[in-house]
Amino acid sequence: MTDDSHIDPTVARAHRTDEPRTVYEGRYQRMVVRGTWEYSERTHAGGLAAIIIAVTPDDHVLFVEQFRVPLQARTIEMPAGLVGDIDAGESIEQSSIRELEEETGWTADHAQVLMIGPTSSGASSEKIAFVRATGLRKVGAGGGDASEDITVHEVPRARAAAWLARKLEEGFELDAKLWAGLWMIDHNLDGTPRGS
């Protein structure tokens, strides 16, 4: 059990009851202050993003490499994108298939939301959906939209974790959620093998 005796109850209550105050709003993010807490929010409907877990018919996991301005570095990620940023009525599944195709050149017959949770609960209200894409088929080159410079990597599933570890050693920034995504290829959320 956690000892909360050192927390001023007035401050804790203020974080839950104070009205949020926007101190900056940009095209994609806003900075908010609530009580003494500062955090960011996405500006698009729902503030939700999706990570797409995609394995090709020949058992290769799809990863994307791109330069990320906040890190000033190239990253390795699973395909991902904002939900509802283009069409506020777009479902998580529709957004996921659109982002998968845009970034990798692969489309999917089905998309299944596995779970939704916060990305960085101390710094942002953004939540992310892990989405499993199935029935993949190649329909284009990928590479992202006009504002992106994405390199697609198709890595044999059996070697995917080792490939990621090598990329980390090479100096790439890797999203820690990559390992959760790899685990979800073969497992249900309760830990049972997928297909059980």
Side-chain angles (χ1 to χ4, degrees), residues 51 53 78 114 130 176-186:
I51 293 177
I53 302 164
M78 285 183 164
L114 303 176
F130 277 92
K177 293 182 289 296
L178 285 165
W179 279 267
L182 286 179
W183 186 82
M184 287 184 210
I185 290 171
D186 295 317

Side-chain angles (χ1 to χ4, degrees), residues 59-71:
D59 209 31
H60 286 71
V61 181
L62 297 178
F63 297 105
V64 294
E65 173 188 330
Q66 60 186 314
F67 181 81
R68 290 295 195 176
V69 173
L71 297 174

Side-chain angles (χ1 to χ4, degrees), residues 14 35 39 43 50 53 65 72-73 79 85 91 98 114 118 136 139-141 150 177 184 186 191:
Y39 59 96
T43 58
I53 302 164
E65 173 188 330
Q72 286 295 293
D85 61 325
S91 71
R98 174 182 51 78
L114 303 176
L136 269 62
V139 294
I150 293 174
K177 293 182 289 296
M184 287 184 210
D186 295 317

Side-chain angles (χ1 to χ4, degrees), residues 7-171:
I7 298 175
D8 180 345
T10 307
V11 172
R13 199 171 23 262
H15 291 313
R16 291 189 296 273
T17 60
D18 281 1
E19 288 296 314
R21 181 173 49 93
T22 300
V23 294
Y24 170 78
E25 183 151 350
R27 184 172 173 195
Y28 296 104
Q29 301 234 351
R30 72 176 61 92
M31 286 297 302
V32 178
V33 175
R34 183 185 289 254
T36 59
W37 205 270
E38 300 172 347
Y39 59 96
S40 66
E41 293 181 335
R42 290 286 189 181
T43 58
H44 69 281
L48 184 66
I51 293 177
I52 302 100
I53 302 164
V55 180
T56 67
D58 61 348
D59 209 31
H60 286 71
V61 181
L62 297 178
F63 297 105
V64 294
E65 173 188 330
Q66 60 186 314
F67 181 81
R68 290 295 195 176
V69 173
L71 297 174
Q72 286 295 293
R74 294 201 67 77
T75 65
I76 302 291
E77 306 166 11
M78 285 183 164
L82 302 177
V83 175
D85 61 325
I86 294 174
D87 175 0
E90 192 175 48
S91 71
I92 297 170
E93 295 86 353
Q94 290 168 326
S95 292
S96 297
I97 292 172
R98 174 182 51 78
E99 288 286 352
L100 177 67
E101 187 172 328
E102 180 182 290
E103 292 190 359
T104 69
W106 289 82
T107 194
D109 292 333
H110 305 283
Q112 175 192 10
V113 177
L114 303 176
M115 68 164 291
I116 298 173
T119 58
S120 180
S121 58
S124 175
S125 64
E126 180 184 52
K127 291 186 179 181
I128 196 150
F130 277 92
V131 179
R132 181 182 291 132
T134 56
L136 269 62
R137 62 188 184 286
K138 187 79 166 162
V139 294
D145 64 24
S147 69
E148 298 171 309
D149 179 21
I150 293 174
T151 301
V152 181
H153 297 281
E154 299 177 16
V155 180
R157 180 166 49 147
R159 296 198 309 263
W163 182 83
L164 289 173
R166 190 171 67 251
K167 290 297 181 185
L168 190 60
E169 288 175 5
E170 291 173 6

